[in-house]
mmCIF file of all heavy atoms in Angstrom:
data_model
loop_
_atom_site.group_PDB
_atom_site.id
_atom_site.type_symbol
_atom_site.label_atom_id
_atom_site.label_comp_id
_atom_site.label_asym_id
_atom_site.label_seq_id
_atom_site.Cartn_x
_atom_site.Cartn_y
_atom_site.Cartn_z
ATOM 1 N N THR A 104 28.121 -0.282 20.869
ATOM 2 C CA THR A 104 28.089 0.174 22.255
ATOM 3 C C THR A 104 29.113 -0.559 23.104
ATOM 4 O O THR A 104 29.844 0.052 23.898
ATOM 5 C CB THR A 104 26.682 -0.034 22.841
ATOM 6 O OG1 THR A 104 25.725 0.708 22.078
ATOM 7 C CG2 THR A 104 26.627 0.415 24.290
ATOM 8 N N LEU A 105 29.200 -1.874 22.962
ATOM 9 C CA LEU A 105 30.152 -2.660 23.732
ATOM 10 C C LEU A 105 31.583 -2.201 23.474
ATOM 11 O O LEU A 105 32.377 -2.020 24.409
ATOM 12 C CB LEU A 105 30.013 -4.146 23.384
ATOM 13 C CG LEU A 105 31.080 -5.079 23.992
ATOM 14 C CD1 LEU A 105 31.027 -5.029 25.513
ATOM 15 C CD2 LEU A 105 30.880 -6.505 23.486
ATOM 16 N N PHE A 106 31.915 -1.996 22.229
ATOM 17 C CA PHE A 106 33.280 -1.590 21.891
ATOM 18 C C PHE A 106 33.597 -0.198 22.445
ATOM 19 O O PHE A 106 34.700 0.039 22.954
ATOM 20 C CB PHE A 106 33.488 -1.635 20.381
ATOM 21 C CG PHE A 106 33.839 -2.991 19.850
ATOM 22 C CD1 PHE A 106 33.040 -4.090 20.106
ATOM 23 C CD2 PHE A 106 34.976 -3.176 19.085
ATOM 24 C CE1 PHE A 106 33.365 -5.349 19.625
ATOM 25 C CE2 PHE A 106 35.318 -4.425 18.599
ATOM 26 C CZ PHE A 106 34.505 -5.524 18.859
ATOM 27 N N VAL A 107 32.643 0.727 22.362
ATOM 28 C CA VAL A 107 32.873 2.077 22.867
ATOM 29 C C VAL A 107 33.007 2.069 24.385
ATOM 30 O O VAL A 107 33.895 2.723 24.955
ATOM 31 C CB VAL A 107 31.742 3.026 22.424
ATOM 32 C CG1 VAL A 107 31.833 4.360 23.155
ATOM 33 C CG2 VAL A 107 31.803 3.249 20.924
ATOM 34 N N VAL A 108 32.138 1.331 25.066
ATOM 35 C CA VAL A 108 32.204 1.251 26.530
ATOM 36 C C VAL A 108 33.511 0.603 26.971
ATOM 37 O O VAL A 108 34.146 1.037 27.942
ATOM 38 C CB VAL A 108 30.991 0.481 27.077
ATOM 39 C CG1 VAL A 108 31.172 0.148 28.559
ATOM 40 C CG2 VAL A 108 29.718 1.290 26.885
ATOM 41 N N THR A 109 33.932 -0.440 26.258
ATOM 42 C CA THR A 109 35.208 -1.078 26.580
ATOM 43 C C THR A 109 36.367 -0.095 26.435
ATOM 44 O O THR A 109 37.245 0.000 27.300
ATOM 45 C CB THR A 109 35.447 -2.288 25.655
ATOM 46 O OG1 THR A 109 34.382 -3.225 25.805
ATOM 47 C CG2 THR A 109 36.764 -2.966 26.000
ATOM 48 N N ALA A 110 36.352 0.658 25.349
ATOM 49 C CA ALA A 110 37.423 1.630 25.120
ATOM 50 C C ALA A 110 37.413 2.730 26.182
ATOM 51 O O ALA A 110 38.478 3.145 26.668
ATOM 52 C CB ALA A 110 37.274 2.239 23.737
ATOM 53 N N ALA A 111 36.206 3.195 26.556
ATOM 54 C CA ALA A 111 36.109 4.311 27.498
ATOM 55 C C ALA A 111 36.404 3.896 28.935
ATOM 56 O O ALA A 111 37.052 4.631 29.682
ATOM 57 C CB ALA A 111 34.720 4.941 27.408
ATOM 58 N N THR A 112 35.933 2.719 29.345
ATOM 59 C CA THR A 112 36.074 2.312 30.738
ATOM 60 C C THR A 112 37.356 1.542 31.028
ATOM 61 O O THR A 112 37.947 1.688 32.096
ATOM 62 C CB THR A 112 34.875 1.444 31.170
ATOM 63 O OG1 THR A 112 34.805 0.274 30.341
ATOM 64 C CG2 THR A 112 33.580 2.224 31.053
ATOM 65 N N VAL A 113 37.798 0.720 30.092
ATOM 66 C CA VAL A 113 38.976 -0.110 30.319
ATOM 67 C C VAL A 113 40.256 0.602 29.875
ATOM 68 O O VAL A 113 41.275 0.579 30.579
ATOM 69 C CB VAL A 113 38.851 -1.459 29.589
ATOM 70 C CG1 VAL A 113 40.102 -2.314 29.790
ATOM 71 C CG2 VAL A 113 37.615 -2.217 30.097
ATOM 72 N N PHE A 114 40.183 1.257 28.717
ATOM 73 C CA PHE A 114 41.388 1.885 28.160
ATOM 74 C C PHE A 114 41.376 3.408 28.266
ATOM 75 O O PHE A 114 42.294 4.062 27.762
ATOM 76 C CB PHE A 114 41.553 1.468 26.695
ATOM 77 C CG PHE A 114 41.677 -0.020 26.503
ATOM 78 C CD1 PHE A 114 40.597 -0.770 26.046
ATOM 79 C CD2 PHE A 114 42.859 -0.681 26.804
ATOM 80 C CE1 PHE A 114 40.699 -2.139 25.872
ATOM 81 C CE2 PHE A 114 42.972 -2.048 26.631
ATOM 82 C CZ PHE A 114 41.896 -2.783 26.166
ATOM 83 N N SER A 115 40.313 3.956 28.875
ATOM 84 C CA SER A 115 40.217 5.402 29.125
ATOM 85 C C SER A 115 40.345 6.231 27.844
ATOM 86 O O SER A 115 40.967 7.297 27.825
ATOM 87 C CB SER A 115 41.292 5.853 30.135
ATOM 88 O OG SER A 115 41.134 5.170 31.357
ATOM 89 N N VAL A 116 39.763 5.745 26.772
ATOM 90 C CA VAL A 116 39.773 6.475 25.510
ATOM 91 C C VAL A 116 38.691 7.546 25.546
ATOM 92 O O VAL A 116 37.544 7.262 25.904
ATOM 93 C CB VAL A 116 39.533 5.525 24.314
ATOM 94 C CG1 VAL A 116 39.467 6.307 23.021
ATOM 95 C CG2 VAL A 116 40.628 4.481 24.251
ATOM 96 N N SER A 117 39.040 8.774 25.201
ATOM 97 C CA SER A 117 38.056 9.860 25.199
ATOM 98 C C SER A 117 38.068 10.653 23.896
ATOM 99 O O SER A 117 37.172 11.470 23.670
ATOM 100 C CB SER A 117 38.323 10.816 26.375
ATOM 101 O OG SER A 117 39.627 11.362 26.294
ATOM 102 N N ASN A 118 39.049 10.417 23.032
ATOM 103 C CA ASN A 118 39.126 11.145 21.766
ATOM 104 C C ASN A 118 37.983 10.750 20.850
ATOM 105 O O ASN A 118 37.738 9.568 20.610
ATOM 106 C CB ASN A 118 40.464 10.865 21.090
ATOM 107 C CG ASN A 118 40.610 11.603 19.773
ATOM 108 O OD1 ASN A 118 40.291 11.062 18.720
ATOM 109 N ND2 ASN A 118 41.077 12.835 19.828
ATOM 110 N N MET A 119 37.259 11.756 20.321
ATOM 111 C CA MET A 119 36.070 11.498 19.514
ATOM 112 C C MET A 119 36.403 10.718 18.251
ATOM 113 O O MET A 119 35.685 9.791 17.869
ATOM 114 C CB MET A 119 35.409 12.836 19.170
ATOM 115 C CG MET A 119 34.193 12.695 18.281
ATOM 116 S SD MET A 119 32.929 11.678 19.038
ATOM 117 C CE MET A 119 32.007 11.210 17.592
ATOM 118 N N GLN A 120 37.465 11.110 17.582
ATOM 119 C CA GLN A 120 37.838 10.437 16.339
ATOM 120 C C GLN A 120 38.139 8.965 16.596
ATOM 121 O O GLN A 120 37.719 8.088 15.834
ATOM 122 C CB GLN A 120 39.068 11.124 15.723
ATOM 123 C CG GLN A 120 39.432 10.635 14.328
ATOM 124 C CD GLN A 120 38.574 11.268 13.252
ATOM 125 O OE1 GLN A 120 38.015 12.337 13.462
ATOM 126 N NE2 GLN A 120 38.461 10.620 12.115
ATOM 127 N N THR A 121 38.838 8.685 17.692
ATOM 128 C CA THR A 121 39.182 7.303 18.034
ATOM 129 C C THR A 121 37.925 6.505 18.375
ATOM 130 O O THR A 121 37.752 5.371 17.916
ATOM 131 C CB THR A 121 40.160 7.280 19.221
ATOM 132 O OG1 THR A 121 41.317 8.049 18.896
ATOM 133 C CG2 THR A 121 40.577 5.852 19.545
ATOM 134 N N LEU A 122 37.039 7.108 19.176
ATOM 135 C CA LEU A 122 35.808 6.413 19.551
ATOM 136 C C LEU A 122 34.929 6.131 18.338
ATOM 137 O O LEU A 122 34.234 5.111 18.287
ATOM 138 C CB LEU A 122 35.034 7.241 20.576
ATOM 139 C CG LEU A 122 35.576 7.265 22.002
ATOM 140 C CD1 LEU A 122 34.754 8.194 22.877
ATOM 141 C CD2 LEU A 122 35.612 5.863 22.606
ATOM 142 N N MET A 123 34.955 7.033 17.366
ATOM 143 C CA MET A 123 34.158 6.819 16.162
ATOM 144 C C MET A 123 34.623 5.556 15.438
ATOM 145 O O MET A 123 33.808 4.716 15.045
ATOM 146 C CB MET A 123 34.266 8.031 15.245
ATOM 147 C CG MET A 123 33.423 7.923 13.975
ATOM 148 S SD MET A 123 33.715 9.292 12.839
ATOM 149 C CE MET A 123 35.377 8.895 12.284
ATOM 150 N N TRP A 124 35.936 5.414 15.262
ATOM 151 C CA TRP A 124 36.449 4.236 14.578
ATOM 152 C C TRP A 124 36.222 2.972 15.401
ATOM 153 O O TRP A 124 35.971 1.892 14.847
ATOM 154 C CB TRP A 124 37.939 4.407 14.271
ATOM 155 C CG TRP A 124 38.185 5.397 13.180
ATOM 156 C CD1 TRP A 124 38.733 6.638 13.301
ATOM 157 C CD2 TRP A 124 37.842 5.242 11.794
ATOM 158 N NE1 TRP A 124 38.756 7.272 12.090
ATOM 159 C CE2 TRP A 124 38.224 6.440 11.142
ATOM 160 C CE3 TRP A 124 37.254 4.221 11.049
ATOM 161 C CZ2 TRP A 124 38.048 6.635 9.782
ATOM 162 C CZ3 TRP A 124 37.079 4.426 9.693
ATOM 163 C CH2 TRP A 124 37.473 5.610 9.073
ATOM 164 N N ILE A 125 36.278 3.097 16.710
ATOM 165 C CA ILE A 125 35.991 1.946 17.575
ATOM 166 C C ILE A 125 34.527 1.541 17.437
ATOM 167 O O ILE A 125 34.192 0.341 17.399
ATOM 168 C CB ILE A 125 36.335 2.278 19.038
ATOM 169 C CG1 ILE A 125 37.859 2.395 19.197
ATOM 170 C CG2 ILE A 125 35.786 1.223 19.989
ATOM 171 C CD1 ILE A 125 38.292 2.905 20.547
ATOM 172 N N ALA A 126 33.625 2.529 17.369
ATOM 173 C CA ALA A 126 32.207 2.231 17.159
ATOM 174 C C ALA A 126 31.993 1.549 15.812
ATOM 175 O O ALA A 126 31.199 0.603 15.694
ATOM 176 C CB ALA A 126 31.379 3.510 17.250
ATOM 177 N N PHE A 127 32.690 2.017 14.774
ATOM 178 C CA PHE A 127 32.602 1.367 13.464
ATOM 179 C C PHE A 127 33.029 -0.094 13.570
ATOM 180 O O PHE A 127 32.385 -0.994 13.013
ATOM 181 C CB PHE A 127 33.509 2.075 12.464
ATOM 182 C CG PHE A 127 32.988 3.412 12.013
ATOM 183 C CD1 PHE A 127 33.805 4.294 11.342
ATOM 184 C CD2 PHE A 127 31.683 3.791 12.262
ATOM 185 C CE1 PHE A 127 33.332 5.527 10.913
ATOM 186 C CE2 PHE A 127 31.203 5.018 11.847
ATOM 187 C CZ PHE A 127 32.028 5.891 11.164
ATOM 188 N N LEU A 128 34.139 -0.338 14.287
ATOM 189 C CA LEU A 128 34.645 -1.702 14.431
ATOM 190 C C LEU A 128 33.635 -2.583 15.167
ATOM 191 O O LEU A 128 33.403 -3.738 14.782
ATOM 192 C CB LEU A 128 35.977 -1.685 15.182
ATOM 193 C CG LEU A 128 36.642 -3.042 15.422
ATOM 194 C CD1 LEU A 128 36.944 -3.743 14.103
ATOM 195 C CD2 LEU A 128 37.907 -2.880 16.243
ATOM 196 N N GLY A 129 33.005 -2.031 16.206
ATOM 197 C CA GLY A 129 31.996 -2.793 16.937
ATOM 198 C C GLY A 129 30.779 -3.097 16.091
ATOM 199 O O GLY A 129 30.248 -4.217 16.124
ATOM 200 N N ALA A 130 30.324 -2.114 15.319
ATOM 201 C CA ALA A 130 29.182 -2.332 14.433
ATOM 202 C C ALA A 130 29.509 -3.391 13.384
ATOM 203 O O ALA A 130 28.675 -4.260 13.067
ATOM 204 C CB ALA A 130 28.781 -1.014 13.766
ATOM 205 N N MET A 131 30.720 -3.329 12.824
ATOM 206 C CA MET A 131 31.121 -4.299 11.810
ATOM 207 C C MET A 131 31.203 -5.699 12.400
ATOM 208 O O MET A 131 30.745 -6.670 11.788
ATOM 209 C CB MET A 131 32.476 -3.906 11.218
ATOM 210 C CG MET A 131 32.984 -4.865 10.147
ATOM 211 S SD MET A 131 34.536 -4.327 9.407
ATOM 212 C CE MET A 131 35.623 -4.432 10.831
ATOM 213 N N THR A 132 31.767 -5.807 13.596
ATOM 214 C CA THR A 132 31.874 -7.116 14.249
ATOM 215 C C THR A 132 30.501 -7.731 14.474
ATOM 216 O O THR A 132 30.274 -8.916 14.207
ATOM 217 C CB THR A 132 32.605 -6.970 15.596
ATOM 218 O OG1 THR A 132 33.910 -6.424 15.372
ATOM 219 C CG2 THR A 132 32.731 -8.313 16.290
ATOM 220 N N ALA A 133 29.566 -6.919 14.964
ATOM 221 C CA ALA A 133 28.210 -7.414 15.205
ATOM 222 C C ALA A 133 27.534 -7.827 13.903
ATOM 223 O O ALA A 133 26.903 -8.893 13.824
ATOM 224 C CB ALA A 133 27.387 -6.350 15.920
ATOM 225 N N ALA A 134 27.645 -6.992 12.864
ATOM 226 C CA ALA A 134 26.987 -7.288 11.587
ATOM 227 C C ALA A 134 27.530 -8.570 10.969
ATOM 228 O O ALA A 134 26.761 -9.418 10.493
ATOM 229 C CB ALA A 134 27.179 -6.116 10.627
ATOM 230 N N VAL A 135 28.847 -8.729 10.972
ATOM 231 C CA VAL A 135 29.460 -9.928 10.389
ATOM 232 C C VAL A 135 29.066 -11.166 11.176
ATOM 233 O O VAL A 135 28.770 -12.228 10.602
ATOM 234 C CB VAL A 135 30.994 -9.773 10.334
ATOM 235 C CG1 VAL A 135 31.658 -11.088 9.936
ATOM 236 C CG2 VAL A 135 31.383 -8.680 9.357
ATOM 237 N N THR A 136 29.037 -11.049 12.502
ATOM 238 C CA THR A 136 28.678 -12.189 13.347
ATOM 239 C C THR A 136 27.236 -12.630 13.108
ATOM 240 O O THR A 136 26.948 -13.829 12.968
ATOM 241 C CB THR A 136 28.872 -11.834 14.827
ATOM 242 O OG1 THR A 136 30.234 -11.426 15.048
ATOM 243 C CG2 THR A 136 28.572 -13.038 15.716
ATOM 244 N N VAL A 137 26.330 -11.648 13.064
ATOM 245 C CA VAL A 137 24.916 -11.977 12.833
ATOM 246 C C VAL A 137 24.731 -12.610 11.459
ATOM 247 O O VAL A 137 24.003 -13.605 11.305
ATOM 248 C CB VAL A 137 24.042 -10.710 12.976
ATOM 249 C CG1 VAL A 137 22.617 -10.982 12.500
ATOM 250 C CG2 VAL A 137 24.025 -10.242 14.415
ATOM 251 N N TYR A 138 25.394 -12.056 10.455
ATOM 252 C CA TYR A 138 25.281 -12.614 9.097
ATOM 253 C C TYR A 138 25.804 -14.051 9.055
ATOM 254 O O TYR A 138 25.185 -14.929 8.437
ATOM 255 C CB TYR A 138 26.057 -11.737 8.118
ATOM 256 C CG TYR A 138 26.015 -12.251 6.689
ATOM 257 C CD1 TYR A 138 24.911 -12.015 5.876
ATOM 258 C CD2 TYR A 138 27.071 -12.995 6.170
ATOM 259 C CE1 TYR A 138 24.865 -12.492 4.573
ATOM 260 C CE2 TYR A 138 27.034 -13.482 4.872
ATOM 261 C CZ TYR A 138 25.934 -13.224 4.073
ATOM 262 O OH TYR A 138 25.900 -13.706 2.791
ATOM 263 N N ALA A 139 26.937 -14.299 9.717
ATOM 264 C CA ALA A 139 27.515 -15.642 9.722
ATOM 265 C C ALA A 139 26.587 -16.639 10.406
ATOM 266 O O ALA A 139 26.375 -17.756 9.914
ATOM 267 C CB ALA A 139 28.883 -15.619 10.409
ATOM 268 N N LEU A 140 26.019 -16.243 11.539
ATOM 269 C CA LEU A 140 25.113 -17.136 12.256
ATOM 270 C C LEU A 140 23.834 -17.393 11.461
ATOM 271 O O LEU A 140 23.294 -18.508 11.467
ATOM 272 C CB LEU A 140 24.764 -16.541 13.628
ATOM 273 C CG LEU A 140 25.899 -16.468 14.655
ATOM 274 C CD1 LEU A 140 25.436 -15.734 15.903
ATOM 275 C CD2 LEU A 140 26.377 -17.878 15.022
ATOM 276 N N ALA A 141 23.339 -16.363 10.785
ATOM 277 C CA ALA A 141 22.073 -16.495 10.048
ATOM 278 C C ALA A 141 22.205 -17.343 8.797
ATOM 279 O O ALA A 141 21.203 -17.847 8.276
ATOM 280 C CB ALA A 141 21.535 -15.116 9.683
ATOM 281 N N THR A 142 23.421 -17.510 8.276
ATOM 282 C CA THR A 142 23.610 -18.289 7.051
ATOM 283 C C THR A 142 23.982 -19.744 7.331
ATOM 284 O O THR A 142 24.132 -20.522 6.386
ATOM 285 C CB THR A 142 24.714 -17.653 6.183
ATOM 286 O OG1 THR A 142 25.908 -17.480 6.969
ATOM 287 C CG2 THR A 142 24.266 -16.306 5.650
ATOM 288 N N ILE A 143 24.128 -20.097 8.605
ATOM 289 C CA ILE A 143 24.452 -21.485 8.935
ATOM 290 C C ILE A 143 23.245 -22.377 8.626
ATOM 291 O O ILE A 143 22.106 -22.050 8.939
ATOM 292 C CB ILE A 143 24.838 -21.618 10.422
ATOM 293 C CG1 ILE A 143 26.149 -20.871 10.699
ATOM 294 C CG2 ILE A 143 24.982 -23.085 10.822
ATOM 295 C CD1 ILE A 143 26.540 -20.855 12.155
#
Side-chain angles (χ1 to χ4, degrees):
T104 300
L105 173 61
F106 276 55
V107 169
V108 169
T109 301
T112 60
V113 178
F114 301 103
S115 300
V116 177
S117 59
N118 180 267
M119 177 59 201
Q120 188 80 23
T121 303
L122 285 176
M123 182 186 70
W124 288 109
I125 290 172
F127 287 166
L128 180 60
M131 180 177 65
T132 301
V135 171
T136 303
V137 170
Y138 179 80
L140 292 174
T142 53
I143 294 175

